[in-house]
Amino acid sequence: MTTLLRIDASLRLDGSVSRALADSAEAAWKSEHPNGVVVRRDLGLHPIPAGVWPALVTEKFGAEVPAGADFTDPVEAKALAADIIGEFKTADAVLLAVPLYNYGIAQHVKAYIDLLLTDQDLLTGTAVAGQPIIFTLARGGGYAPGTPKEGWDHATPYLNRIFGEVFNMNIRTAAAELTLAPVTPGMEELVDLSKVSEQDAHTTAGEHAAEVARSLTSNAA
């Protein structure tokens, strides 16, 4: 039985493009693995407390907790980190749905990644090497080469660096751009392009998920 770990990061439920793209990927996954398990972690609705990572790092290096610091209890921090790291390392595939906020990743996504990076096996790139991960990304503006905001997307390169180069995972990406065009004054002329980008991303997300599911089935045969 295969396990898909789905991680959502959008602060919204209704209208979230990154969640909708992840829905398409999950549906394609389930069509290939109707008896497979989908494990969910919603960082958008249930963010990791800010004091967890400082508590872990402080204890790791044997430092004293500064007086008045708002750190999570180390026992609780360790338990949460073990849960998060364990489900990540044991998943057969990961589906990560992330919106672009303020040209980068939101603090709750960074907090999640920081916890993963406390695990030595993940940090050395041995724990999940070759494991497939699908990014479903939503960007409110346009960041393609030649656009005014080219290079302003600081989230995608960071995600690629951590999950691809540090964790040595096999990345597939489905990204929708101009997602704010339908609701932002001054972007009216980009609405049609945004619809095309979003539809293409849904198709790509489904194709990636189906491909990953089939490859895992083939490897298990």
Side-chain angles (χ1 to χ4, degrees):
M1 182 179 295
T2 57
T3 300
L4 174 68
L5 171 62
R6 172 173 172 172
I7 306 160
D8 286 285
S10 176
L11 300 177
R12 299 192 300 164
L13 289 177
D14 295 338
S16 169
V17 175
S18 64
R19 289 181 185 272
L21 294 176
D23 287 343
S24 291
E26 182 180 331
W29 169 275
K30 287 181 176 178
S31 71
E32 297 287 339
H33 290 294
N35 297 320
V37 176
V38 178
V39 176
R40 304 178 189 279
R41 183 166 292 275
D42 199 318
L43 302 175
L45 299 184
H46 307 290
I48 296 166
V52 171
W53 181 77
L56 290 173
V57 173
T58 299
E59 184 177 71
K60 179 179 179 179
F61 290 100
E64 293 185 8
V65 175
D70 189 16
F71 291 0
T72 301
D73 177 84
V75 174
E76 295 180 6
K78 280 185 175 180
L80 178 58
D83 185 35
I84 287 172
I85 292 167
E87 71 182 12
F88 185 83
K89 291 168 69 172
T90 57
D92 294 296
V94 177
L95 173 59
L96 181 61
V98 178
L100 181 68
Y101 286 155
N102 299 321
Y103 310 112
I105 59 170
Q107 60 87 17
H108 52 276
V109 180
K110 182 63 164 58
Y112 176 80
I113 293 173
D114 282 341
L115 286 194
L116 295 180
L117 288 169
T118 64
D119 183 82
Q120 188 62 28
D121 292 337
L122 287 172
L123 190 59
T124 57
T126 58
V128 292
Q131 176 178 309
I133 183 167
I134 301 168
F135 297 156
T136 59
L137 309 178
R139 305 168 185 142
Y143 302 91
T147 62
K149 289 293 192 293
E150 177 184 355
W152 284 52
D153 171 10
H154 299 288
T156 304
Y158 176 77
L159 294 172
N160 286 334
R161 183 62 54 89
I162 296 298
F163 291 97
E165 297 185 32
V166 178
F167 295 164
N168 289 320
M169 301 178 78
N170 186 352
I171 296 173
R172 293 168 173 83
T173 301
E177 291 206 332
L178 303 169
T179 60
L180 289 177
V183 297
T184 303
M187 296 183 71
E188 292 85 359
E189 65 181 19
L190 300 174
V191 170
D192 288 343
L193 288 176
S194 75
K195 292 179 179 179
V196 171
S197 178
E198 186 171 341
Q199 184 55 54
D200 287 347
H202 276 284
T203 300
T204 301
E207 290 174 347
H208 285 333
E211 179 185 3
V212 167
R214 288 193 294 268
S215 69
L216 291 174
T217 300
S218 176
N219 292 338

Coordinates of all heavy atoms in Angstrom, one line a residue, residues 76 95 149 182:
E76 N 7.7 18.8 24.3 CA 6.7 18.9 23.3 C 7.3 19.2 21.9 O 6.8 18.7 20.9 CB 5.7 20.0 23.7 CG 5.0 19.8 25.0 CD 4.1 20.9 25.4 OE1 4.0 21.9 24.6 OE2 3.5 20.9 26.5
L95 N 3.2 15.6 -1.7 CA 2.5 16.6 -2.5 C 2.5 17.9 -1.7 O 1.9 17.9 -0.6 CB 1.1 16.1 -2.8 CG 0.1 17.1 -3.5 CD1 0.7 17.6 -4.8 CD2 -1.2 16.5 -3.6
K149 N 8.5 41.4 -13.4 CA 8.9 40.8 -12.1 C 9.8 39.5 -12.3 O 9.8 38.7 -11.3 CB 7.6 40.5 -11.3 CG 6.9 41.7 -10.8 CD 7.7 42.4 -9.7 CE 6.9 43.5 -9.0 NZ 6.5 44.6 -9.9
P182 N -8.0 37.9 -11.7 CA -9.4 38.1 -11.7 C -10.0 39.0 -10.6 O -11.1 39.4 -10.7 CB -9.9 36.6 -11.5 CG -8.8 35.8 -12.0 CD -7.6 36.5 -11.6

